[in-house]
Amino acid sequence: MGKVRARKETGKLYLDFFFHGVRCREQTALHDTPANRKKVECLLQRIEAKILLDEFDYAEFFPGSGNLKKVQQARATVDETSEVESLSTSVTLAEFSSQWFSEMQVEWRKSHTRNVQSIIDNSLKPLLGAKRIKVISKADLLQFRSSLANRKGRGANIKLSPKTINSHMAILKMVMDEAADRYGFESPYRNIKPLKLKKSHIEPFSLKEVDRIISQVREDYRNYYIVRFYTGLRTGEIDGLKWQCVDFERQEILVRETLIQGETEYTKTDGSQREVPMLGPVCEALKEQYMATKGRSSYVFCNRQGEPLDHNNVTKRVWYPLLRRLGLNKRRPYQTRHTAATLFLASGENPEWVARVLGHSSTDMLFKVYSRYIPNATRMDGSAFEKLVNTAISQAKEPVHEKE
């Protein structure tokens, strides 16, 4: 509610009111008399009525006022706030997730971009896309997770794994958190913990099994599996390996790219950028491979057309049939990497060196994943303690000879 006041210095009336949160004082030329005060109060009532109806034009009433600039800035702020509030109450998750994706993909690798796009298009939009993002509740998010848990996975009777569900929920959390920050509401994604993952167990091959595989595999894939078993390269790293990254002079493989869905791109992490030594038969295998493919492809291992290998095709047509023929348990090709790690460590190599060769940022992964296969190298089988105790016991049993 505004007031009509009189200045002590001049005795003239002025209006004192608020507009868009700004206190406005507008001077008149009228002296403080009952008649003049009534005129000014009528003016103030007209102003407040127009403000109430959102029809008040400040410049129309006070064209030369020094308050015009402040009022215009305040109006712009109000309009912007109103626009954000209006948008936040009408925008759907489908609309905002598309906007968020377009803004964020510049930060991601191509493979990650494809994964996020797939999650948004195949899960977020079908299940939550029509909902207005500001009214999505925690219950909606938990229902979304339950729907994922009941969805079939790759196999006809297999449900989505907890790891896959967690990856979907992680994208949803990022979308909701960004929307909450942008539109000024509290994200409903709170106290929702990731699903517990089952501990995965590795199944590396023994050195004897490695020899059997390499001796029995198809001739055109023998060099490929020699390099896999004795370097520990990831599938994408060996399939994307190019001759420009093979340094015969220093006997090193320079890991700089990885192959994902037929395209090479930057490695999984910065730590994956590394130099892998050509140990054991690796150097000779690569020299043989050089004679076979150098003239027809930039890739070290390629198909007849000179294109990089399709790992799914190789796995189904070469790897699994070979394991069946040899009577070995069915294992993913990635177990060649685990095999290299266990062989490195079991031979007594320094764990820090092994971590660098494999592209790990620290030795934590080695001791967490591989310790049960390398008790002598890690001394984590109790043998040191047993030796100490047995020595102490045997010494205690020795007869004590008194001095004469």
Side-chain angles (χ1 to χ4, degrees), residues 76-137:
T77 302
V78 170
D79 289 344
E80 183 178 345
T81 303
S82 298
E83 182 181 350
V84 170
E85 290 178 352
S86 175
L87 183 60
S88 68
T89 57
S90 63
V91 68
T92 63
L93 183 130
E95 292 167 340
F96 184 76
S97 60
S98 294
Q99 178 185 348
W100 174 80
F101 176 80
S102 66
E103 294 169 350
M104 295 297 296
Q105 62 178 312
V106 69
E107 301 179 10
W108 302 329
R109 296 194 314 163
K110 290 182 180 179
S111 56
H112 184 65
T113 299
R114 287 191 292 267
N115 290 338
V116 175
Q117 182 76 75
S118 176
I119 289 173
I120 290 175
D121 290 345
N122 299 321
S123 298
L124 267 62
K125 288 183 178 180
L127 297 176
L128 287 172
K131 285 185 173 291
R132 288 179 291 122
I133 199 161
K134 196 171 183 179
V135 300
I136 292 176
S137 65

Side-chain angles (χ1 to χ4, degrees), residues 16-194:
D16 188 353
F17 62 97
F18 282 87
F19 182 51
H20 291 319
V22 177
R23 187 178 184 182
C24 303
R25 297 182 182 91
E26 292 295 345
Q27 187 67 49
T28 73
L30 302 175
H31 289 281
D32 186 10
T33 66
N36 288 340
R37 183 175 283 269
K38 189 173 182 179
K39 289 181 181 179
V40 178
E41 285 176 349
C42 288
L43 175 62
L44 180 60
Q45 289 175 4
R46 286 176 55 208
I47 291 173
E48 290 185 329
K50 285 186 173 291
I51 291 174
L52 186 62
L53 296 172
D54 196 25
E55 296 177 354
F56 180 56
D57 184 350
Y58 206 97
E60 178 185 347
F61 280 77
F62 309 106
S65 174
N67 290 323
L68 271 176
K69 187 174 182 180
K70 288 194 301 181
V71 169
Q72 290 169 350
Q73 290 175 341
R75 180 57 188 255
T77 302
V78 170
D79 289 344
E80 183 178 345
T81 303
S82 298
E83 182 181 350
V84 170
E85 290 178 352
S86 175
L87 183 60
S88 68
T89 57
S90 63
V91 68
T92 63
L93 183 130
E95 292 167 340
F96 184 76
S97 60
S98 294
Q99 178 185 348
W100 174 80
F101 176 80
S102 66
E103 294 169 350
M104 295 297 296
Q105 62 178 312
V106 69
E107 301 179 10
W108 302 329
R109 296 194 314 163
K110 290 182 180 179
S111 56
H112 184 65
T113 299
R114 287 191 292 267
N115 290 338
V116 175
Q117 182 76 75
S118 176
I119 289 173
I120 290 175
D121 290 345
N122 299 321
S123 298
L124 267 62
K125 288 183 178 180
L127 297 176
L128 287 172
K131 285 185 173 291
R132 288 179 291 122
I133 199 161
K134 196 171 183 179
V135 300
I136 292 176
S137 65
K138 184 177 180 179
D140 293 325
L141 303 183
L142 294 176
Q143 180 59 44
F144 172 77
R145 189 174 68 178
S146 295
S147 299
L148 293 178
N150 292 321
R151 182 185 292 181
K152 289 185 178 181
R154 293 182 180 178
N157 299 315
I158 300 175
K159 301 290 181 65
L160 289 184
S161 68
K163 182 179 180 182
T164 300
I165 294 173
N166 286 346
S167 66
H168 282 59
M169 294 300 291
I171 298 302
L172 178 56
K173 181 180 187 301
M174 286 189 284
V175 171
M176 293 303 304
D177 287 350
E178 179 60 29
D181 183 59
R182 191 169 299 189
Y183 297 135
F185 64 90
E186 185 177 359
S187 173
Y189 203 113
R190 58 187 184 280
N191 300 324
I192 299 180
K193 297 181 180 179

Side-chain angles (χ1 to χ4, degrees), residues 148-277:
L148 293 178
N150 292 321
R151 182 185 292 181
K152 289 185 178 181
R154 293 182 180 178
N157 299 315
I158 300 175
K159 301 290 181 65
L160 289 184
S161 68
K163 182 179 180 182
T164 300
I165 294 173
N166 286 346
S167 66
H168 282 59
M169 294 300 291
I171 298 302
L172 178 56
K173 181 180 187 301
M174 286 189 284
V175 171
M176 293 303 304
D177 287 350
E178 179 60 29
D181 183 59
R182 191 169 299 189
Y183 297 135
F185 64 90
E186 185 177 359
S187 173
Y189 203 113
R190 58 187 184 280
N191 300 324
I192 299 180
K193 297 181 180 179
L195 297 180
K196 191 172 183 179
L197 304 181
K198 293 182 179 180
K199 184 177 181 180
S200 59
H201 298 283
I202 65 170
E203 296 182 87
F205 295 90
S206 68
L207 191 56
K208 185 178 293 186
E209 290 173 330
V210 172
D211 289 339
R212 287 184 64 200
I213 290 172
I214 290 175
S215 63
Q216 295 298 317
V217 73
R218 279 172 43 176
E219 183 67 28
D220 51 339
Y221 281 95
R222 181 160 295 135
N223 294 330
Y224 177 74
Y225 284 106
I226 288 176
V227 176
R228 288 199 69 141
F229 272 116
Y230 294 119
T231 63
L233 292 178
R234 299 179 177 92
T235 300
E237 292 171 346
I238 187 170
D239 290 352
L241 182 63
K242 297 177 181 177
W243 284 116
Q244 65 190 33
C245 291
V246 177
D247 188 341
F248 284 111
E249 184 176 345
R250 299 175 64 89
Q251 294 199 352
E252 289 181 337
I253 296 171
L254 313 179
V255 180
R256 299 292 183 265
E257 294 177 312
T258 186
L259 185 74
I260 300 178
Q261 295 187 359
E263 296 182 10
T264 52
E265 58 182 72
Y266 193 76
T267 51
K268 184 178 180 181
T269 63
D270 289 340
S272 297
Q273 297 275 311
R274 64 196 188 279
E275 292 73 45
V276 178

